[in-house]
Amino acid sequence: MSLAPAQFAQLNRLIDLQLEVFPEHRGFLTKRFADSDAAHLDFCEQLSGNVFKIAGSDIRRIVEDYRWLSDMVLEEELFFRREGRYRLSKFSDALEQVYANTPFMAKYMNGLLASQLWWRNHTEVLRYFRDGFLPGNRQGFTHLEVGPGHGLFLGLAAAAPNGASAEGWDISAASLENTRAALSAMGASAGIALKEVNIFTAPEGQFDSITFSEVLEHLEEPLAALKILRGLLKPGGRIFVNAPVNSPAPDHLYLFRTPEEVRDMVAAAGFEIVDTLYAPPSGAGLDKARRQELSISAAVIAKKSS
Amino acid sequence: MSTIDKVTDIMRDLFEDYSGPITPAIAAKDVPDWDSLAHVKLMVQVERAFGIRFEAREVSQPQNVGELVALIDQKLAAKG
């Protein structure tokens, strides 16, 4: 039986593929889509289309790697619940154990791509970026994403009618190549410049808009990075920061225990907070997610004062 | 307090939206919030409450409340 109404054909096709390789996930996905309104499902349908385009003939590998990711996260969850902290705290350890392990990274990235649909908080943040952040940018905005990963945020930014240009920066050439391939597959690569840049050596004051999504938690000193990003913005420019709370993963170093900690760090970097979205995981409201210390996505829209 | 009573307290706290019975036969499929992530939390809370530590393979072993209670009692007996 389909978990979404029949008109959302690509979404249902992807759900069916996922359940073929991960039948035990039916209960979770049923909860995930249970209270979705038409607008949310419509967004999921578009997102499913992009996942199919990015995956191409590898779609089965994407859903298999999502299953692998789910098992891996359970091991991290066990450590996190026992010890009350993330397993790693040093970037050098994450580099050695995760980033330098190419086969591991490929599976990890594939699994995370599918999670953009299956983890409701991930989907809600993407939607908030499209509908709550991009329209508030000035006409003809110049955009930068640091750590563009799967390219979904960058593709949305490049497609914004009020945007003039979009760039993606990363310190990893291999990661940029993945972003390039994903954007090309989505038909969104035109006019997007992807560059190997370290933010700590970049010139100041270039952009009207910056995305920094799911990067803070990978850093030893996230506040220092936010301060650098503030320098990269023009006066009046806006930033979209997204970081997970209570979300153990093999390469997560910095533990945010509440969504307010993310917001307060953005403010401490000198930004003026404009708006926030605290998105609870599938099947829980925000109050329950706080009480049970579940993973919450904290998205913050902030501004560099003129 | 018996093992199942202590487990019941932990489960009532963790699965706050579930008000059905908690008996040895109750399994994850009966409790809407009892998914794999919540199971890990349940097992860690059980570890704390009983002062025991599960082996990695034991964490996913219990298929229902009765099996969990049996596993706890076995760990407590081994602890002496």
Side-chain angles (χ1 to χ4, degrees):
Chain A
M1 193 188 78
S2 298
L3 297 189
Q7 71 263 37
F8 303 106
Q10 302 204 83
L11 173 60
N12 275 320
R13 195 151 69 87
L14 199 51
I15 292 171
D16 288 347
L17 279 168
Q18 186 64 71
L19 291 176
E20 265 179 48
V21 301
F22 197 0
E24 307 90 322
H25 218 39
R26 177 172 286 278
F28 177 86
L29 289 182
T30 302
K31 252 189 329 191
R32 155 70 183 89
F33 290 103
D35 300 319
S36 298
D37 59 23
H40 183 87
L41 289 170
D42 193 51
F43 187 77
C44 290
E45 177 71 4
Q46 291 174 40
L47 192 51
S48 302
N50 279 332
V51 171
F52 276 114
K53 283 179 190 166
I54 292 169
S57 58
D58 278 344
I59 190 65
R60 198 160 180 94
R61 186 174 306 164
I62 300 282
V63 292
E64 283 169 356
D65 288 348
Y66 172 78
R67 183 186 179 129
W68 168 86
L69 172 77
S70 301
D71 288 341
M72 180 190 68
V73 164
L74 285 182
E75 290 172 31
E76 298 293 333
E77 182 79 12
L78 182 60
F79 181 94
F80 176 62
R81 296 298 169 188
R82 277 176 170 162
E83 308 296 330
R85 63 178 173 88
Y86 293 161
R87 198 167 46 83
L88 300 186
S89 58
K90 298 277 175 223
F91 186 80
S92 54
D93 291 336
L95 186 63
E96 188 190 320
Q97 296 181 28
V98 183
Y99 305 133
N101 185 342
T102 308
F104 184 96
M105 277 305 287
K107 286 162 86 81
Y108 193 16
M109 291 297 106
N110 285 343
L112 284 175
L113 178 63
S115 82
Q116 300 304 312
L117 267 165
W118 305 151
W119 299 355
R120 191 185 174 102
N121 48 319
H122 279 183
T123 318
E124 289 292 7
V125 169
L126 261 176
R127 221 179 133 198
Y128 178 58
F129 176 72
R130 186 193 67 174
D131 300 340
F133 177 71
L134 292 172
N137 282 343
R138 73 167 186 83
Q139 190 60 38
F141 73 86
T142 53
H143 182 77
L144 167 68
E145 177 162 358
V146 176
H150 46 58
L152 294 173
F153 283 93
L154 193 52
L156 288 172
N162 52 339
S165 67
E167 289 191 19
W169 292 359
D170 204 296
I171 51 171
S172 156
S175 181
L176 283 174
E177 196 43 56
N178 286 338
T179 309
R180 192 185 317 277
L183 288 169
S184 171
M186 287 188 285
S189 57
I192 299 180
L194 296 173
K195 300 176 181 172
E196 205 174 326
V197 178
N198 182 333
I199 57 168
F200 290 95
T201 54
E204 292 206 332
Q206 306 176 57
F207 299 96
D208 297 304
S209 163
I210 292 179
T211 306
F212 203 45
S213 179
E214 305 222 335
V215 184
L216 278 183
E217 70 278 16
H218 298 265
L219 304 176
E220 284 181 39
E221 295 185 47
L223 178 60
L226 285 170
K227 287 178 178 170
I228 292 286
L229 294 182
R230 189 172 173 278
L232 296 178
L233 278 177
K234 295 177 189 169
R238 299 162 86 242
I239 189 167
F240 184 89
V241 176
N242 170 37
V245 169
N246 293 325
S247 181
D251 53 344
H252 286 185
L253 307 179
Y254 192 93
L255 171 58
F256 294 101
R257 293 183 186 277
T258 67
E260 287 75 15
E261 286 184 11
V262 180
R263 179 201 63 195
D264 292 349
M265 185 179 281
V266 175
F271 289 100
E272 178 190 328
I273 305 298
V274 175
D275 193 30
T276 56
L277 173 78
Y278 301 152
S282 309
L286 185 57
D287 288 346
K288 181 172 163 185
R290 286 182 191 277
R291 272 198 308 279
Q292 302 270 355
E293 298 176 337
L294 305 178
S295 181
I296 299 170
S297 288
V300 180
I301 297 173
K303 190 177 154 186
K304 178 178 180 178
S305 300
S306 309
Chain B
M1 196 184 232
S2 68
T3 303
I4 195 163
D5 287 345
K6 270 171 106 168
V7 169
T8 301
D9 282 355
I10 294 167
M11 290 182 65
R12 290 279 177 226
D13 189 45
L14 192 58
F15 306 125
E16 53 185 72
D17 296 334
Y18 175 76
S19 54
I22 295 180
T23 64
I26 291 293
K29 64 174 172 39
D30 305 309
V31 182
D33 283 349
W34 193 348
D35 59 20
S36 52
L37 271 182
H39 181 77
V40 169
K41 284 186 74 177
L42 170 64
M43 295 303 273
V44 172
Q45 290 188 19
V46 164
E47 284 184 337
R48 283 209 189 105
F50 289 92
I52 54 177
R53 179 93 165 188
F54 295 116
E55 303 294 327
R57 64 179 169 74
E58 290 172 335
V59 171
S60 55
Q61 193 176 301
Q63 297 299 307
N64 57 35
V65 172
E67 289 184 17
L68 174 59
V69 167
L71 178 63
I72 295 166
D73 286 341
Q74 182 193 320
K75 300 290 281 188
L76 287 172
K79 206 173 125 188

